[in-house]
Amino acid sequence: MAEPLLTVANLTMKFGGLTAIDNVSWTLHEDEILGIIGPNGAGKTTVFNVVSGLYTPTGGEIRFRETLINGLPPHKIAKMGIKRTFQQSRLFDTISVLDNVLIGMATISKGIFVNSLFRRDLLSKELALNIKDGLELLHHFSDYLAENLYRRAGDLVPGERRKLEICRALASNPDILLLDEPAAGMDPNESAELMDDILKIRALKKGIGIILIEHDMAVVQKTANFIVVLSYGKEIARGTFAEVSSNPLVQEAYLGSESEYARS
Amino acid sequence: MSHSNTGIPNSNAFINRIITPFLLFVVVAIVYAIVAYESVVVTLLSLVIGASLFVGYSKIPGLKEIIKESIRKDKIILLVTGLVLAIAIPLTLRSQPYIIHILVIAEISIILALGLNFQVGSTGIPNLGYAAFYGVGAYASALLSTRLGISFWISLLAAGFIAALFGWLVGLPTLKTRSYHMALVSIAFGLVTYIMLNNLAFTGGPNGIKNIPAPEIFGWSLFSSIKIFGNAYPVQLNFYYLVLFITLLMVVVSHFVYNSKIGLFWNAVREDEIAAKCSGINASALKLLSFSMGAFLAGIAGALYAHYVGYISPENFNMNTSLQVLGMVIMGGMDNIFGVSIGAFILSVAPEKFRALADFRMLATGLIILLMLMFRPSGIIKQQIRIYATKYFSSKKSSNGDTNG
Amino acid sequence: MNTFFQLLISALLVSSLYTLVAVGFTMYVGVINLANFSHGDTCVMGTFLLMPLFLFATKMGWMTPLAGLVIPALIILVILVTGLWGAGIYKILVKPLLVAPRLILLLASVAAGQVIREAIRVIYPNGSNPQVFPKLLPSGGIELSGLTLGYDSLTIIFLTIACIISLNFIIQRTKMGLAMRAVSQNSDVSQIMGINIEKTIISVFILGSALAGLAGILNGTYYGIAKFNLGSNLGIKGFSAAVIGGLGDFQGAIIGGVLLGFIEVFASAYIPNGSQYQDVFSFLAVIAFLIFRPSGILGEKIFEKV
Ligand SMILES: Nc1ncnc2c1ncn2[C@@H]1O[C@H](COP(=O)(O)OP(=O)(O)O)[C@@H](O)[C@H]1O
Ligand SMILES: [Mg+2]
């Protein structure tokens, strides 16, 4: 029986008068990929923002394993082992690919002040390890990135940006990875590749739990073990892909909003 | 990135061999001409030649790579030669104490600019009241030594730490707010410090503090001139070497900071604070660190200034000073230690050569900042990609052809 | 009682000046999220434009018969020029830098302020020293049971209120005002709705700078002197007022301006030695707000969009 990694109970997030997440509950287990789908504005990204600590939820609980993490600042949550990507990629544009990955290892850097000024030897050791791991990680996802370590992140094409963002998130070896629409703007080939990547993550890191927000139903179908459907902040369905996609409420929610989702 | 595709054959060994000495010669000649000659024409000419060489350098395809490459190759030689020249050249200026004075001010400006660069350049925090930290350091050190008789070396360090404390305090209220709030708080802090210095009794009000003692090294005062072969050298030279030593120390510190996790995480905060936090960076702590460390350098610079000039007043530390240092950072190149030092050097030496136009100095500073921001926001030497030494890649199969060089 | 009444009038006057500056500041933040640090210097530009015009008009002998006509005409002329200046600043400086990191734009506005300030100092004859600002408003006043209400004070307060009311009308009732509000809310959506964003932003710059010009003139009138470097202080006070009221909020700027004026005048009067530290009180107030209520009095808590 897989251990629960992240448990969300009666989660609610209100922005002034608008309720972006309305009393939502679910659990993510080890080795599981949880899909969160729903039309635009359903509150999916807000779930990530709340879980990663950018907003303090106005109601409910978020537990990482046993620990209550609502209201913790983002860097502490990252340090506990929850990492994310962003719907609109947010790389550190003017610095290099390698530096982006090294920043992804912030949570495993120790004594940065002392090492920077007084213990350069320790810094060197840490850097050597970091770079070795970073290179390995990059090689898993993209040879291009691994061979262009010194390219500015801002100069990458969108597909490589997404990959770099995933590498940055994975660099600290997190227990939970939150992926916000990683396939957005990709062509079918690229999203097929992305699916492989996501499955690769699971193979690379035993026990990692992934939450995937995705509009590309093919990706969701292939990867997610379990799906929660949100609409206007409320959960309207849950289950396997087959169960969810045959649910009339889900079909209505999608058809009612945007035709784009119908293509799956 | 890789230098084999620049179109210029690497086989031209002769050019490769002379390029470093040639560069060195040109740079030294220009700098020497600007520094040592009391003539507007010479200064102007040197500046124009320097600027056109620089523009040419960035325009001619391939040249940039060649020069970069040779600088990287001959780094040690260049550094040693630079150091030797920095020590030797002032010895030739025995009869021109005023020029040595300008050089001391230039050294102090480099420390100042490096400190502001931590904040504006590396972390992307607008600090518009930086002169206040400079002032805090100067007054702290001056008061400690005139009132309590504390020795220069202790008061120098104390000035750094007191300024750092102020930096930390000023950073606190703006951690959760936007960058323009930071700009506001820093200007406000600058003005409040200025008002306080002018009105408080123990800082001497508008008259400031006089008779600040000169530093002593093992009982020997820096206000006594050195005699070599019977020639007395101006006392400014003593300070030149003292401040040179501390400036070099600060350059090394800045270099360490830049090439470490601190510098890297500062960049992350500058580029995207939210992504930085979600990567696990404690952005608030790093911003406070940037404030404190920048202020520390300002404090050190302030103490040096106070004990060098011997007299300080609030006017030394007003908004104009803040903008001047900002100009050095922006002109030199934000987040580039070498660039910032060059900016500091140019903006502190050049105006002294155009003293007839002294009235226009602040207007010129404003225009330089404005034009740089509009047309070359990266400054004279732009922020570089951090290159990690080859040793870090040794174990891996060579996937990084562009690092060895 | 008597001094209290005088203080009240001073507070209203100072509040008026701060409000006029704050309104422009807050509108820039509203439409393009720019803190324009040259705003205070635009005010001083107004001050220093008026003085030579006034001297010229006096020399030409227009003042004696027609002062009541010429002075308003001069003020309007100055306001027009500073308004145009605002449009120019947007076109030449702000617009090209909108694509750059915000830090660059902010620093550029600081530098622009410095350029205005120093240009005034070197161009204006004897510009480094304080200048006597001409008396634009009639002396004398209304006597009320031993208290004097100067005509000049009344005019300043009246003009400010008139400006605020007209501006409020523009913002609430006109198409342009609607566009400004829409752009402040969300410029992407406004674009889709067919609003000409460029035109809207320029109008905001014209309005804001015109008000700054007026504020500069009134500032000169109130204190009777003009100095090239008053702008940095005035601009920061305007910014502080806007922050206290709620940055980006028009009514907030008014509330902030009034609050700041009152804090400054009354704290200087009632705290021993207070007048030396007049500016310190305002800054303490704004820092207190940044710590405890960074969104200001009227601003709602903002959740930064991710
Ligand atoms: N920072 C915020 N402030 C105010 N409203 C927000 C904020 N973030 C999201 N919202 C609102 O919450 C709702 C859900 O948004 P979001 O989570 O981004 O949707 P999704 O990712 O499912 O498309 C939307 O109506 C959005 O406008
Ligand atoms: Mg979303």
Side-chain angles (χ1 to χ4, degrees):
Chain A
M1 182 64 213
E3 292 286 310
L5 269 179
L6 189 71
T7 313
V8 160
N10 306 103
L11 188 67
T12 301
M13 179 75 213
K14 291 185 179 158
F15 295 114
L18 180 116
T19 307
I21 312 175
D22 197 352
N23 209 15
V24 169
S25 309
W26 40 256
T27 304
L28 171 75
H29 296 92
E30 281 181 353
D31 264 325
E32 187 176 60
I33 300 184
L34 169 70
I36 298 183
I37 63 170
N40 259 345
K44 306 181 296 296
T45 299
T46 306
V47 169
F48 277 12
N49 290 345
V50 170
V51 171
S52 57
L54 291 173
Y55 307 146
T56 305
T58 43
E61 286 187 350
I62 310 169
R63 279 180 196 280
F64 174 65
R65 300 191 201 273
E66 305 287 280
T67 327
L68 195 65
I69 61 167
N70 321 13
L72 284 186
H75 69 272
K76 291 219 169 117
I77 290 180
K79 181 141 193 154
M80 297 182 87
I82 303 179
K83 286 294 200 70
R84 68 173 291 180
T85 67
F86 295 88
Q87 185 171 353
Q88 250 115 35
S89 77
R90 305 184 78 128
L91 290 173
F92 307 115
D93 278 340
T94 70
I95 57 182
S96 68
V97 167
L98 179 57
D99 276 349
N100 270 270
V101 175
L102 291 178
I103 291 169
M105 298 174 180
T107 54
I108 50 175
S109 305
K110 293 201 186 68
I112 63 164
F113 182 77
V114 174
N115 289 5
S116 302
L117 290 177
F118 309 109
R119 295 299 306 268
R120 302 289 288 181
D121 54 328
L122 293 184
L123 175 69
S124 261
K125 268 197 193 130
E126 184 178 286
L127 270 176
L129 260 176
N130 290 167
I131 290 176
K132 186 175 145 286
D133 293 347
L135 263 174
E136 205 170 307
L137 185 65
L138 286 169
H139 266 298
H140 277 300
F141 285 89
S142 155
D143 286 333
Y144 176 84
L145 290 178
E147 279 153 22
N148 289 273
L149 292 176
Y150 293 131
R151 194 166 286 272
R152 272 171 216 274
D155 297 339
L156 298 174
V157 297
E160 299 295 341
R161 286 180 70 85
R162 295 234 170 253
K163 287 183 182 170
L164 181 54
E165 239 199 311
I166 294 177
C167 289
R168 183 179 69 185
L170 282 176
S172 61
N173 221 349
D175 296 327
I176 298 177
L177 177 65
L178 313 175
L179 296 171
D180 197 348
E181 300 198 22
M186 288 188 173
D187 61 32
N189 279 339
E190 287 172 318
S191 32
E193 204 182 315
L194 180 84
M195 265 184 283
D196 293 343
D197 287 346
I198 294 174
L199 295 172
K200 209 185 290 172
I201 298 171
R202 266 220 312 205
L204 276 178
K205 175 148 204 274
K206 283 275 161 276
I208 191 170
I210 300 175
I211 306 181
L212 173 70
I213 293 176
E214 192 44 76
H215 279 329
D216 187 329
M217 287 305 149
V219 176
V220 180
Q221 183 174 16
K222 287 263 169 56
T223 53
N225 310 101
F226 192 76
I227 290 163
V228 173
V229 189
L230 298 182
S231 175
Y232 294 108
K234 289 197 174 63
E235 176 189 320
I236 56 168
R238 64 167 63 199
T240 60
F241 185 82
E243 288 163 2
V244 162
S245 55
S246 59
N247 186 324
L249 275 175
V250 177
Q251 287 166 354
E252 189 187 330
Y254 270 106
L255 291 177
S257 63
E258 277 179 47
S259 53
E260 172 195 340
Y261 311 119
R263 74 169 183 218
S264 71
Chain B
M1 188 59 76
S2 118
H3 38 267
S4 52
N5 56 8
T6 53
I8 292 154
N10 277 345
S11 57
N12 206 334
F14 178 67
I15 291 195
N16 277 336
R17 180 118 12 108
I18 63 159
I19 197 140
T20 310
F22 179 73
L23 258 177
L24 202 63
F25 174 76
V26 171
V27 171
V28 171
I30 291 176
V31 171
Y32 193 83
I34 293 178
V35 169
Y37 288 92
E38 281 291 326
S39 145
V40 173
V41 180
V42 173
T43 309
L44 211 59
L45 214 63
S46 320
L47 280 176
V48 169
I49 292 175
S52 27
L53 283 179
F54 183 76
V55 171
Y57 149 88
S58 32
K59 284 278 146 61
I60 298 173
L63 189 57
K64 204 175 194 158
E65 280 71 20
I66 294 186
I67 290 183
K68 264 190 182 165
E69 183 53 33
S70 56
I71 289 179
R72 196 180 305 162
K73 204 173 64 217
D74 299 329
K75 207 174 189 171
I76 309 284
I77 301 176
L78 280 172
L79 285 176
V80 172
T81 322
L83 188 62
V84 168
L85 288 174
I87 292 172
I89 288 184
L91 288 172
T92 68
L93 300 169
R94 191 165 68 89
S95 56
Q96 292 161 293
Y98 184 67
I99 289 178
I100 303 180
H101 164 75
I102 295 171
L103 290 177
V104 177
I105 298 295
E107 290 168 341
I108 293 176
S109 304
I110 291 177
I111 301 180
L112 271 178
L114 287 174
L116 184 62
N117 179 49
F118 285 160
Q119 299 162 359
V120 179
S122 306
T123 324
I125 312 170
N127 181 351
L128 304 176
Y130 186 65
F133 302 108
Y134 183 36
V136 166
Y139 272 84
S141 183
L143 287 172
L144 284 174
S145 50
T146 53
R147 297 289 156 84
L148 304 179
I150 286 175
S151 97
F152 164 76
W153 298 99
I154 294 173
S155 71
L156 174 73
L157 267 185
F161 283 111
I162 292 171
L165 179 70
F166 273 88
W168 187 78
L169 282 174
V170 173
L172 269 187
T174 53
L175 290 176
K176 299 256 154 19
T177 56
R178 287 163 190 265
S179 72
Y180 39 66
H181 291 128
M182 181 56 231
L184 172 64
V185 171
S186 63
I187 296 189
F189 175 69
L191 286 176
V192 168
T193 307
Y194 180 73
I195 294 169
M196 290 299 188
L197 291 179
N198 259 311
N199 285 312
L200 292 176
F202 76 96
T203 61
N207 297 326
I209 302 178
K210 295 189 186 67
N211 301 324
I212 304 164
E216 288 185 358
I217 300 174
F218 302 122
W220 174 73
S221 162
L222 256 65
F223 270 151
S224 37
S225 64
I226 308 179
K227 282 206 175 78
I228 302 174
F229 300 130
N231 294 324
Y233 280 83
V235 293
Q236 281 84 354
L237 198 66
N238 305 341
F239 283 93
Y240 174 85
Y241 290 123
L242 170 75
V243 184
L244 177 68
F245 172 71
I246 295 173
T247 306
L248 289 178
L249 204 64
M250 293 303 147
V251 170
V252 171
V253 166
S254 307
H255 180 78
F256 274 10
V257 168
Y258 176 82
N259 282 304
S260 76
K261 296 283 172 97
I262 298 180
L264 187 61
F265 294 172
W266 278 348
N267 285 174
V269 171
R270 175 191 70 197
E271 294 294 303
D272 190 330
E273 191 171 333
I274 286 177
K277 286 178 181 164
C278 289
S279 296
I281 290 175
N282 184 347
S284 302
L286 273 144
K287 284 199 268 184
L288 286 179
L289 185 64
S290 169
F291 273 113
S292 315
M293 291 186 70
F296 182 87
L297 262 64
I300 296 282
L304 289 173
Y305 180 80
H307 290 268
Y308 168 53
V309 177
Y311 162 62
I312 52 174
S313 78
E315 290 309 316
N316 300 128
F317 312 107
N318 59 17
M319 180 86 180
N320 278 350
T321 314
S322 295
L323 288 173
Q324 212 123 51
V325 184
L326 189 65
M328 295 169 185
V329 173
I330 290 172
M331 181 177 173
M334 292 193 258
D335 206 19
N336 184 309
I337 292 168
F338 187 54
V340 165
S341 308
I342 292 184
F345 187 84
I346 296 179
L347 279 194
S348 47
V349 172
E352 300 296 338
K353 301 291 158 172
F354 300 107
R355 271 192 304 280
L357 303 174
D359 210 28
F360 296 90
R361 178 172 184 172
M362 287 316 299
L363 181 60
T365 309
L367 278 173
I368 288 173
I369 302 180
L370 200 57
L371 294 176
M372 287 304 274
L373 288 173
M374 292 190 71
F375 301 110
R376 199 181 160 90
S378 53
I380 295 179
I381 305 187
K382 68 170 185 239
Q383 179 207 336
Q384 303 289 312
I385 293 283
R386 280 187 190 73
I387 304 288
Y388 293 91
T390 0
K391 64 176 181 197
Y392 295 130
F393 299 89
S394 50
S395 63
K396 221 43 224 167
K397 57 178 189 288
S398 177
S399 56
N400 41 298
D402 42 1
T403 57
N404 35 37
Chain C
M1 193 58 213
N2 206 327
T3 47
F4 178 80
F5 185 74
Q6 294 299 347
L7 284 176
L8 198 67
I9 298 292
S10 311
L12 278 176
L13 286 165
V14 175
S15 300
S16 302
L17 298 172
Y18 289 172
T19 302
L20 285 177
V21 185
V23 164
F25 224 115
T26 219
M27 290 201 303
Y28 302 145
V29 173
V31 289
I32 52 169
N33 201 12
L34 159 72
N36 179 358
F37 280 93
S38 73
H39 194 56
D41 300 291
T42 311
C43 300
V44 179
M45 201 168 112
T47 320
F48 276 81
L49 280 172
L50 189 95
M51 290 194 292
L53 287 174
F54 185 90
L55 287 181
F56 179 73
T58 314
K59 209 169 244 166
M60 299 303 282
W62 297 342
M63 279 305 170
T64 357
L66 294 168
L69 259 173
V70 173
I71 290 177
L74 292 183
I75 294 179
I76 289 173
L77 181 64
V78 169
I79 291 175
L80 286 178
V81 173
T82 49
L84 273 182
W85 171 263
I89 282 272
Y90 174 71
K91 278 275 185 197
I92 297 169
L93 186 73
V94 177
K95 197 176 163 215
L97 287 180
L98 278 179
V99 288
R102 265 298 186 273
L103 178 70
I104 302 286
L105 186 51
L106 188 151
L107 295 176
S109 80
V110 175
Q114 167 85 346
V115 170
I116 299 176
R117 191 155 62 235
E118 284 296 313
I120 291 174
R121 189 176 67 78
V122 296
I123 294 173
Y124 204 84
N126 193 16
S128 301
N129 296 319
Q131 310 287 319
V132 178
F133 193 82
K135 275 202 86 57
L136 300 181
L137 303 173
S139 41
I142 307 169
E143 293 280 335
L144 270 177
S145 57
L147 301 167
T148 323
L149 256 177
Y151 289 128
D152 48 357
S153 309
L154 283 175
T155 316
I156 292 175
I157 295 171
F158 171 78
L159 270 179
T160 305
I161 293 176
C163 282
I164 295 297
I165 291 177
S166 338
L167 198 61
N168 193 45
F169 178 82
I170 294 178
I171 291 178
Q172 301 296 337
R173 294 292 156 77
T174 65
K175 241 179 123 175
M176 183 48 72
L178 180 70
M180 288 175 191
R181 281 182 289 147
V183 173
S184 295
Q185 293 281 321
N186 188 332
S187 59
D188 298 337
V189 176
S190 336
Q191 185 135 38
I192 299 168
M193 281 162 49
I195 288 172
N196 185 337
I197 293 186
E198 170 96 3
K199 208 171 108 192
T200 311
I201 297 177
I202 291 196
S203 324
V204 164
F205 270 82
I206 293 178
L207 276 177
S209 303
L211 285 181
L214 180 66
I217 296 173
L218 296 184
N219 194 59
T221 313
Y222 175 53
Y223 292 105
I225 53 166
K227 203 168 171 222
F228 74 97
N229 61 359
L230 287 178
S232 38
N233 202 332
L234 202 55
I236 299 164
K237 293 295 173 56
F239 191 5
S240 303
V243 168
I244 288 177
L247 211 46
D249 189 299
F250 175 68
Q251 276 139 24
I254 302 166
I255 295 178
V258 172
L259 195 64
L260 206 59
F262 274 77
I263 289 176
E264 214 173 287
V265 169
F266 280 93
S268 319
Y270 288 116
I271 293 174
N273 262 337
S275 60
Q276 289 171 352
Y277 300 109
Q278 184 180 339
D279 296 329
V280 178
F281 301 126
S282 323
F283 295 141
L284 287 180
V286 74
I287 287 175
F289 265 90
L290 282 179
I291 295 173
F292 298 109
R293 200 180 159 85
S295 49
I297 295 176
L298 289 190
E300 291 167 9
K301 184 169 178 346
I302 314 160
F303 297 90
E304 196 174 348
K305 289 241 177 179
V306 179

